[in-house]
Amino acid sequence: MFDLKNVSFQSDGKNPKTLLGDITVSFPTGEFSAIVGHNGSGKSTLLKLLARKNKPASGQITLDATVLGDHSTRDFARKVAYLPQNPITPTHLSVRELIAFGRYPWRGAFGRYRAEDHEKIDQAMMLTHVTGFADRFVASLSGGERQRVWLAMLLAQDAPVLLLDEPTSALDVGHQRDILQLIASLKSEIGLTVIAVLHDIDMVGRFADHILALRGGQTCWQGTAGDFMQTKTLRDIFQTEIGVIRLPDSPHSVSYIA
């Protein structure tokens, strides 16, 4: 769905700095892809390129075999939904009102909500389990509840691709697991393609199908979760002493600093 060939990105200014260089990757359709790496490795920059928030300095990005910039604004919004890091929480919007913003690419003449829009909003709330507090202010919710509401807004957008920039960064480990489990379940249930920037190694190994690792703005590894959760792989990617323990009677592994 997303294909990148020799993509680079530079900062603005008189002395531009190359933040990403020569990235070539195809993100598989219908899978959960994770982008990992050290802070400053270019993860969020890459996601912003996919979301059309940044433009590449060179190379080509295509979506459905069409150059990214050739999609109309509405067509792109109907295909790709993007959640940035730490979205600003509206102080006077209810949960339902915020989720309704996700319908902006689909609304009819003069921005009117049709029956289909309300159905999509209701379905998004049901899928993310937020129907019970639809009339509460978003600002009154806990971190985990709020993240589910943002996810519901993206689902209401009815786009087949979700771009998520550190969707669990402000959550405790239990809520991190719950949110990623929800995302993985929705991927399978309604056929989403998910591309997310993630930090937690164990969560990546547990939920991601495809993993792209960056270091210094360049690809240093890509592969599957099974190959990712290997001592040598993790040490090469993060350049630190990391070990891996296989959990008994479980398909999962956990990492530790050696």
Side-chain angles (χ1 to χ4, degrees), residues 81-235:
Y82 168 64
L83 185 64
Q85 289 185 47
N86 305 316
I88 298 173
T89 301
T91 55
H92 298 297
L93 281 182
S94 70
V95 166
R96 178 180 287 275
E97 289 170 334
L98 178 62
I99 294 170
F101 279 117
R103 294 303 299 164
Y104 77 91
W106 302 94
R107 286 183 295 180
F110 307 108
R112 292 171 180 160
Y113 290 96
R114 299 161 297 181
E116 180 183 357
D117 296 313
H118 291 293
E119 289 173 6
K120 291 292 185 180
I121 293 165
D122 290 340
Q123 180 187 46
M125 289 195 296
M126 178 191 68
L127 288 169
T128 53
H129 314 297
V130 301
T131 306
F133 42 85
D135 296 322
R136 287 178 57 186
F137 286 128
V138 178
S140 72
L141 303 178
S142 68
E145 291 170 338
R146 198 176 299 168
Q147 202 66 0
R148 281 191 281 143
V149 170
W150 286 114
L151 183 58
M153 186 185 74
L154 267 59
L155 294 181
Q157 193 171 326
D158 205 22
V161 182
L162 302 187
L163 304 179
L164 309 173
D165 196 350
E166 299 190 34
T168 60
S169 61
L171 304 178
D172 61 51
V173 65
H175 283 107
Q176 287 183 38
R177 179 203 59 214
D178 292 345
I179 289 294
L180 292 176
Q181 180 65 69
L182 175 60
I183 292 168
S185 297
L186 291 171
K187 177 211 71 174
S188 301
E189 185 176 345
I190 60 178
L192 295 172
T193 297
V194 179
I195 305 173
V197 172
L198 296 175
H199 274 290
D200 189 294
I201 291 172
D202 297 336
M203 295 294 180
V204 171
R206 181 167 182 173
F207 294 108
D209 304 303
H210 168 256
I211 299 153
L212 173 69
L214 301 179
R215 184 168 62 241
Q218 296 186 323
T219 300
C220 66
W221 186 87
Q222 60 178 305
T224 65
D227 292 332
F228 176 73
M229 293 300 290
Q230 303 285 338
T231 296
K232 183 180 185 306
T233 301
L234 295 179
R235 289 179 178 179

Side-chain angles (χ1 to χ4, degrees), residues 33-106:
S33 293
I35 304 173
V36 304
H38 289 295
N39 290 339
S41 61
K43 302 184 300 296
S44 294
T45 300
L46 176 55
L47 202 71
K48 287 178 182 178
L49 286 173
L50 300 181
R52 300 206 311 188
K53 303 300 180 184
N54 292 333
K55 293 183 179 180
S58 62
Q60 180 174 275
I61 305 174
T62 58
L63 173 64
D64 294 340
T66 299
V67 174
L68 205 57
D70 290 348
H71 291 268
S72 70
T73 300
R74 174 166 286 202
D75 176 60
F76 184 75
R78 288 180 173 184
K79 291 183 176 180
V80 179
Y82 168 64
L83 185 64
Q85 289 185 47
N86 305 316
I88 298 173
T89 301
T91 55
H92 298 297
L93 281 182
S94 70
V95 166
R96 178 180 287 275
E97 289 170 334
L98 178 62
I99 294 170
F101 279 117
R103 294 303 299 164
Y104 77 91
W106 302 94

